Amino acid sequence: MILHTVLIRFKTSIDKAQKKEIFEAIVALKQKLSGIVDVKYGPNVSPEGLGGGFADALVVTFDTVEARDAYLVHPDHVVVGEKIVASAEGGLAVLLVFDLDI
């Protein structure tokens, strides 16, 4: 399985409703693509203060590498990915994507 983790620094102008809309668009992909096991998202709630300025995260669990790869190029993912980049403070340069094989 693959844990696909995206850490985001949203612009201050992006409110909770806009964030939820973006994240729910990723959740909706679970109904369109096979291989998505789970989708979680939300704000950083760690008390450690080590978030590096990342305030929100998205974690998508895939059953295979192939499922993750199909997701990455799926047109609906591309659209929501563009929304994430446009909503991020500093665009693509301030997104952190980390995939873990579990």
Side-chain angles (χ1 to χ4, degrees):
M1 292 191 358
I2 300 291
L3 286 180
H4 175 70
T5 305
V6 182
L7 302 179
I8 308 163
R9 291 181 192 148
F10 281 108
K11 295 175 182 175
T12 56
S13 61
I14 304 299
D15 64 26
K16 287 182 183 180
Q18 290 169 305
K19 290 177 188 181
K20 184 174 180 175
E21 179 182 322
I22 288 169
F23 290 137
E24 287 296 323
I26 296 291
V27 172
L29 289 174
K30 187 174 180 186
Q31 304 305 316
K32 295 181 178 186
L33 292 166
S34 62
I36 296 176
V37 176
D38 194 24
V39 180
K40 302 283 189 209
Y41 63 86
N44 181 7
V45 296
S46 174
E48 295 178 291
L50 301 173
F54 292 99
D56 294 275
L58 164 71
V59 180
V60 183
T61 306
F62 297 95
D63 59 3
T64 65
V65 169
E66 293 79 14
R68 187 265 327 263
D69 293 349
Y71 161 88
L72 292 175
V73 298
H74 190 277
D76 290 350
H77 171 261
V78 171
V79 168
V80 75
E82 290 171 355
K83 286 181 184 178
I84 290 171
V85 171
S87 300
E89 189 67 52
L92 190 59
V94 297
L95 290 179
L96 178 62
V97 177
F98 190 92
D99 289 359
L100 181 64
D101 189 357
I102 57 170

